Amino acid sequence: MAEERQKITSQFIAIAKNLESQIENLLAEVELQVYGEIDKQIAGARQQEESAIAVSNTWVRQLAEIRQDFELILRDITKATENTVI
């Protein structure tokens, strides 16, 4: 009877080790998939942010150019009004 219990216990241990190995393999696959997807999302978000910064910088540069043009126009108007008043 003890010998049979030992056989059954050995079988359960072998099954448990096999299941543990299968679970570890599945977990590794899931981690690879999840981390791969997260990496893709991070890369996409980084690219969108870089694009937004590039567009923003273009707008900021254009705004600065418009501001400079506006200041030149204001100087011209100021000079013109000073000349007509004197």
Side-chain angles (χ1 to χ4, degrees), residues 12-81:
F12 277 125
I13 290 172
I15 291 171
K17 286 182 180 181
N18 187 359
L19 286 174
E20 183 180 17
S21 176
Q22 289 178 17
I23 290 171
E24 286 175 357
N25 289 338
L26 287 173
L27 179 60
E29 288 179 30
V30 168
E31 285 178 351
L32 284 175
Q33 289 176 352
V34 168
Y35 290 133
E37 183 61 32
I38 289 171
D39 284 342
K40 286 179 187 176
Q41 290 178 359
I42 289 171
R46 183 179 298 123
Q47 187 175 17
Q48 288 177 347
E49 186 67 22
E50 289 172 355
S51 295
I53 289 170
V55 168
S56 174
N57 286 342
T58 301
W59 290 347
V60 169
R61 186 177 65 246
Q62 289 175 346
L63 181 61
E65 292 171 358
I66 292 170
R67 186 176 293 128
Q68 289 173 352
D69 292 342
F70 184 67
E71 288 174 358
L72 287 174
I73 292 170
L74 287 177
R75 276 190 231 140
D76 290 342
I77 293 172
T78 302
K79 285 181 184 178
T81 55

